[in-house]
Amino acid sequence: MTEPTPMRVAPTFELTAAERAEIRALLDTAFEGDFADLDWEHALGGAHALVRDRNGLLLAHGSVVQRRVLHADRSYRAGYVEAVAVRADHRRRGLGHRVMAALEHVIDAAHDFGALSASDAGAALYAARGWQVWPGRLTALGPHGPLPLPEEEGAAYVRPAAGHPLPTPAHPLAFDWREGDLL
């Protein structure tokens, strides 16, 4: 493997159309065609971490977007991690950890806590970095009121931001509504 260049973290608005297309292509390949347009939409509007090799080839990506989460009558700014992927031929070389370290820095600087929904393949990475499975209930604030998300329980991970405690599992985390996958 060619030595990767330093991490670049950039907000969505600073990414060129070519960069956005390159990221989307990486995600489509990494998720083997199971990365929908709404998944892409969920990854936009926040900060993106990108790792390239010395020749400019995109090797890894992840983003963190702000989501509002209600918990015990309080509204939190959660840094929600989306679209973490590493090229198949560069996996198990620490690139996912580099991406997550950059995203965790954003969470520590701008959010109350971090949250994500882990795939089976990604769960070990998040657990190794200290993310914890949320042990409580999950809901989404739908157009007609709270919508329970029991199928997401056990796959939702949280991480406190620097200087902030995690919410307690005595009350559900109620995520803001969005089209497509709610978590």
Side-chain angles (χ1 to χ4, degrees):
M1 171 177 119
T2 316
E3 184 67 25
T5 59
M7 176 72 59
R8 176 178 175 221
V9 178
T12 300
F13 74 86
E14 286 184 3
L15 300 175
T16 66
E19 286 175 312
R20 288 190 308 272
E22 185 181 24
I23 294 166
R24 177 63 195 261
L26 169 69
L27 295 168
D28 286 338
T29 301
F31 287 95
E32 299 176 349
D34 191 25
F35 195 82
D37 289 344
L38 284 173
D39 297 326
W40 175 237
E41 183 68 27
H42 296 166
L44 301 175
H48 300 260
L50 301 98
V51 178
R52 296 180 180 279
D53 70 11
R54 294 277 180 214
N55 298 317
L57 178 66
L58 182 63
L59 303 177
H61 169 270
S63 67
V64 61
V65 298
Q66 182 172 301
R67 296 198 58 193
R68 281 292 181 188
V69 178
L70 294 180
H71 177 270
D73 298 324
R74 179 171 172 214
S75 177
Y76 289 87
R77 284 183 330 275
Y80 200 83
V81 174
E82 297 279 4
V84 175
V86 177
R87 283 179 51 103
D89 58 345
H90 284 75
R91 291 182 183 149
R92 309 285 182 250
R93 299 180 186 184
L95 299 180
H97 282 281
R98 289 185 67 204
V99 166
M100 287 304 297
L103 299 179
E104 290 162 359
H105 178 72
V106 172
I107 291 167
D108 287 345
H111 302 282
D112 297 312
F113 66 93
L116 58 84
S117 181
S119 66
D120 290 341
L125 169 66
Y126 308 125
R129 297 197 57 78
W131 289 72
Q132 306 163 23
V133 173
W134 172 253
R137 292 174 296 140
L138 298 166
T139 64
L141 298 175
H144 305 291
L147 176 66
L149 300 173
E151 67 282 357
E152 296 292 341
E153 292 171 4
Y157 284 69
V158 293
R159 175 191 173 277
H164 295 270
L166 277 176
T168 64
H171 301 279
L173 293 180
F175 285 84
D176 56 357
W177 182 259
R178 65 184 189 178
E179 298 297 321
D181 291 336
L182 298 176
L183 286 190

